[in-house]
Amino acid sequence: MAKLILSLDGSVIREVPLDKERITIGRKPQNDIQIENLAVSGEHACIVTILHDSFLEDLGSTNGTVVNGSPVKKHILQHNDVIEIGKYRLKYMGDAPAAGQTPADDFEKTMVLRSPAAVRAATAPQLSGDTQGGGAPFVAPAAAVTPVAAAPAPAVSVPAAKAAEAQPLAAIQILNGPNAGTERELTKNLTTLGKPGVQVAVITRRPQGYFITHVEGASFPIVNGNTLDAQAHPLKDHDVIELTGVKIEFFIKSK
């Protein structure tokens, strides 16, 4: 289980397991992690965890939230990331890979799409494993997500995970650009779309069906011409998603 290590001036104060989907950080006593310091806002930030991925979101704090020395609004956490809130530090310790799981297994659940600017500079949007264009691919890290969204998805228990697997299999297909027609089955419970730092969304496979949630970026995903909000949005057969200028069709493969 992932956890946070809270410290001040190099001294560890406590360890906080990320044992529920949404954990709040702030000065008010109702927060899961209360930091009694005037530099910390009443409700400063939150961390949302889906499966093995955690997202950090600043909740409009006065003094901001910093990760690895850079201010962030929303951030996909990676192992050993250091969150700074006021003078306090929270080190994120991600899950170790499950027994028998390889980095390739974990990477497989990540969908990679290049931004329009990157497309012009290198190649068209690619699926996971894209290393073309002479540079590192814009990969949304697979080991680190929260619905960093205002309305997180329900926690996934083992029975719920099995129920999600019983859902009809869906897929997505790129509709525009040189890679139009490229298809990817959504066999994982979580698929990340977009470019970190620009626009990121996740598609989650739940017992109730497939949902898309905004994670990062000033622009929200567009579905069928309508801009989404921070809430998780259910996807229907043949919905068209637009993200970083790329249009993607969601469709059910089997019923």
Side-chain angles (χ1 to χ4, degrees):
M1 180 185 297
K3 64 182 178 181
L4 297 172
I5 300 176
L6 176 64
S7 65
L8 177 64
D9 298 329
S11 298
V12 174
I13 298 173
R14 61 183 287 207
E15 292 188 6
V16 183
L18 300 181
D19 55 1
K20 64 179 186 176
E21 186 170 325
R22 190 173 191 269
I23 287 182
T24 58
I25 306 166
R27 194 177 67 253
K28 293 181 179 179
Q30 65 264 32
N31 287 285
D32 299 292
I33 302 176
Q34 184 187 10
I35 301 177
E36 297 186 45
N37 185 283
L38 292 178
V40 180
S41 295
E43 295 177 353
H44 197 104
C46 72
I47 293 175
V48 183
T49 299
I50 301 177
L51 303 176
H52 299 290
D53 297 328
S54 296
F55 299 91
L56 169 70
E57 179 179 12
D58 181 89
L59 299 177
S61 65
T62 300
N63 294 313
T65 301
V66 173
V67 176
N68 301 330
S70 300
V72 300
K73 292 297 182 183
K74 293 183 179 181
H75 177 78
I76 303 173
L77 288 168
Q78 300 181 66
H79 183 62
N80 284 330
D81 273 354
V82 176
I83 305 164
E84 296 179 51
I85 295 179
K87 294 183 178 180
Y88 290 79
R89 292 189 170 195
L90 298 104
K91 187 172 184 179
Y92 174 77
M93 306 298 290
D95 283 334
Q101 183 181 17
T102 67
D105 294 330
D106 195 43
F107 183 75
E108 186 184 353
K109 73 179 178 180
T110 301
M111 175 71 67
V112 181
L113 295 175
R114 292 182 181 272
S115 67
V119 172
R120 291 191 294 271
T123 64
Q126 300 289 325
L127 302 185
S128 62
D130 171 27
T131 57
Q132 301 177 26
F138 296 111
V139 180
V145 180
T146 57
V148 192
V156 179
S157 63
V158 173
K162 289 182 178 179
E165 291 174 2
Q167 286 291 327
L169 181 64
I172 54 178
Q173 183 180 60
I174 297 176
L175 299 179
N176 61 336
N179 275 356
T182 301
E183 183 180 309
R184 174 70 178 269
E185 291 184 350
L186 302 178
T187 57
K188 301 294 182 179
N189 285 331
L190 184 148
T191 300
T192 304
L193 306 174
K195 176 185 174 183
V198 178
Q199 190 178 24
V200 177
V202 293
I203 294 178
T204 53
R205 187 183 187 190
R206 307 182 192 172
Q208 302 89 345
Y210 289 84
F211 290 75
I212 184 169
T213 305
H214 174 74
V215 172
E216 182 180 2
S219 299
F220 284 68
I222 297 171
V223 176
N224 300 330
N226 298 313
T227 302
L228 303 185
D229 54 19
Q231 308 295 323
H233 179 84
L235 288 170
K236 298 178 182 178
D237 195 22
H238 299 300
D239 275 353
V240 175
I241 304 163
E242 187 170 348
L243 193 73
T244 66
V246 178
K247 290 187 177 181
I248 306 162
E249 181 182 6
F250 169 87
F251 61 96
I252 303 298
K253 293 202 68 174
S254 58
K255 294 185 179 181

